[in-house]
Amino acid sequence: MKYIYTALDCPKCEILKKKYRAEGVTFVERAADRIKQPEDEADQEALIQASMQNMELPVEVNV
């Protein structure tokens, strides 16, 4: 499953979502706030990925 962590007013997030929709890529969008308090394995992976990309959004995770 592909998860994309996004925030409101994030132009990069909107571009990525439009790209994936045009390509027919299935994904689940999650609020970036979940990264601050991980609730499941995908959130934990997102925290790791976000730290590797200097906390810039969007964050993509495949679980």
Side-chain angles (χ1 to χ4, degrees):
M1 175 68 64
K2 180 181 280 289
Y3 295 96
I4 300 175
Y5 292 79
T6 63
L8 294 175
D9 301 324
C10 171
K12 289 182 181 179
C13 300
E14 292 303 317
I15 291 169
L16 181 64
K17 290 189 295 185
K18 285 180 185 177
K19 175 186 170 198
Y20 280 168
R21 287 182 183 128
E23 294 174 356
V25 175
T26 304
F27 64 90
V28 175
E29 183 178 3
R30 288 188 168 181
D33 290 339
R34 288 181 66 132
I35 295 173
K36 295 176 186 174
Q37 294 181 334
E39 298 175 20
D40 60 17
E41 181 182 349
D43 294 349
Q44 291 171 351
E45 283 294 319
L47 176 60
I48 293 166
Q49 183 64 32
S51 65
M52 291 186 336
Q53 59 189 54
N54 296 321
M55 303 310 260
E56 289 187 25
L57 295 176
V59 174
E60 299 177 68
V61 174
N62 291 308
V63 178

